[in-house]
Amino acid sequence: MRSSPLAERTIVITGAARGVGAALAHEVARRGARVALLGLEKAGLDAVAASLPGPALAVEADVTDLTALDAAAHTVRAGLGRPSAVVANAGIAEGGAFLASDPAAWRRVIDVNLTGSAHTARAFLPDLLHTAGYFLQIASLASLGAAPLMSAYCASKAGVEAFAHSLRAEVAHRGVGVGIAYLNWTDTEMIRDADRYAVLRELRTHMPPPARRVYPVDVVAARLVRGMERRRTAVYAPPWLRLLQPVRPALPPVVLRVARRELPRLEAAGQVRYTGPLGAGGRADRAAYRPGP
């Protein structure tokens, strides 16, 4: 793995205490990178950092707090050197009908997933300009086609896709690459938690066979890192997701048809209910976040 373009480079990953972020940390470390792990769960970040084979730094920071991210960027620069790649991976989700959702929690999903990604870019872009580096935005199948009962998550992932496209056009002439990673269902605590709720499990299992499959997190991470090594503008995990790009306009009518058929049955069974934050990461964010007036 020492022949990797990432070897001896500093890589920043947000949301790195678990799931895709932790798997990415292991994958880039195997390729000889120095890894900076950012997130809210310091104990989890420390544990991941201690398990890596090379230099690693765990920095506690809320991606919605630009001051904290600026401080984290300074810490990374001093401890590991200027980053050559930054992965905006931090994200949370909740499920249920829009009107049943808590407005503050709905807004928090947007703040973490979208504003947090923009803050991450704002804090680390000066370093990437210096290193002619690469910014990878973690998006989702939800960026390609929105689904019911996940309105905040779908809105945030559509937003990060648009943000990454815009940022790429701004910084390409300055040598910085910007990629978008489109992920399908991945075996993380968030998805396992979502499957505990009948309505979200039904949402997944009523998708076509390739789309309903849950993919191992280490397989997804390996594909994302190969995209990073090649500075891809788009990375698809699994690869077949790229086939949805040309048919994106056809997806909303298909989703609408399925929703009209299935949601009345689920509502009658009392299965359409608000889930609150999904997964341990979502619960950690709720515990750390204190909304203002």
Side-chain angles (χ1 to χ4, degrees):
M1 292 295 182
R2 289 285 168 177
S3 61
S4 169
L6 304 180
E8 307 300 329
R9 305 281 185 171
T10 297
I11 312 297
V12 174
I13 303 168
T14 67
R18 64 184 70 254
V20 172
L24 281 171
H26 282 280
E27 198 64 34
V28 297
R30 287 179 59 241
R31 286 162 162 78
R34 301 181 295 267
V35 190
L37 305 102
L38 273 61
L40 284 177
E41 300 170 85
K42 188 59 164 64
L45 296 171
D46 286 338
V48 175
S51 70
L52 299 180
L57 183 65
V59 184
E60 187 174 14
D62 181 345
V63 295
T64 68
D65 183 343
L66 185 55
T67 300
L69 278 176
D70 284 337
H74 177 78
T75 300
V76 172
R77 202 176 301 124
L80 297 177
R82 290 184 182 271
S84 294
V86 174
V87 184
N89 167 71
I92 59 174
E94 60 173 22
F98 173 67
L99 283 180
S101 65
D102 173 64
W106 196 98
R107 185 175 65 247
R108 180 66 180 172
V109 174
I110 303 296
D111 287 344
V112 172
N113 298 3
L114 176 54
T115 307
S117 293
H119 282 349
T120 301
R122 191 179 298 277
F124 287 99
L125 193 55
D127 294 313
L128 296 181
L129 289 168
H130 188 271
T131 60
Y134 177 76
F135 182 84
L136 181 62
Q137 174 64 61
I138 302 299
S140 168
L141 172 62
S143 306
L144 301 172
L149 308 176
M150 296 287 289
S151 59
Y153 186 79
C154 291
S156 69
K157 290 303 182 179
V160 298
E161 181 192 38
F163 169 68
H165 281 309
S166 179
L167 184 65
R168 180 189 302 135
E170 286 188 27
V171 299
H173 70 288
R174 302 187 66 180
V176 176
V178 176
I180 305 171
Y182 297 94
L183 276 57
N184 196 39
W185 305 97
T186 304
D187 188 19
T188 63
E189 291 184 20
M190 180 190 294
I191 300 305
R192 290 194 292 272
D193 195 16
D195 264 2
R196 294 192 306 108
Y197 296 91
V199 66
L200 298 183
R201 187 172 62 251
E202 293 268 350
L203 171 68
R204 179 174 65 80
T205 57
H206 277 85
M207 299 175 78
R212 72 177 67 145
R213 179 182 169 189
V214 178
Y215 291 83
V217 69
D218 56 339
V219 173
V220 170
R223 182 159 184 84
L224 297 185
V225 173
R226 288 194 294 272
M228 292 172 64
E229 290 177 322
R230 295 164 176 78
R231 295 169 64 95
R232 298 291 194 195
T233 57
V235 187
Y236 298 90
W240 63 260
L241 277 179
R242 70 174 66 248
L243 301 177
L244 293 181
Q245 287 286 14
V247 298
R248 286 176 72 160
L251 295 180
V254 172
V255 171
L256 178 61
R257 189 176 307 115
V258 173
R260 279 179 167 166
R261 183 180 69 242
E262 298 299 332
L263 281 183
R265 176 179 61 83
L266 293 169
E267 287 176 349
Q271 295 178 342
V272 179
R273 59 188 179 91
Y274 178 56
T275 66
L278 294 170
R283 290 189 290 273
D285 182 82
R286 178 174 59 184
Y289 173 60
R290 296 292 182 266

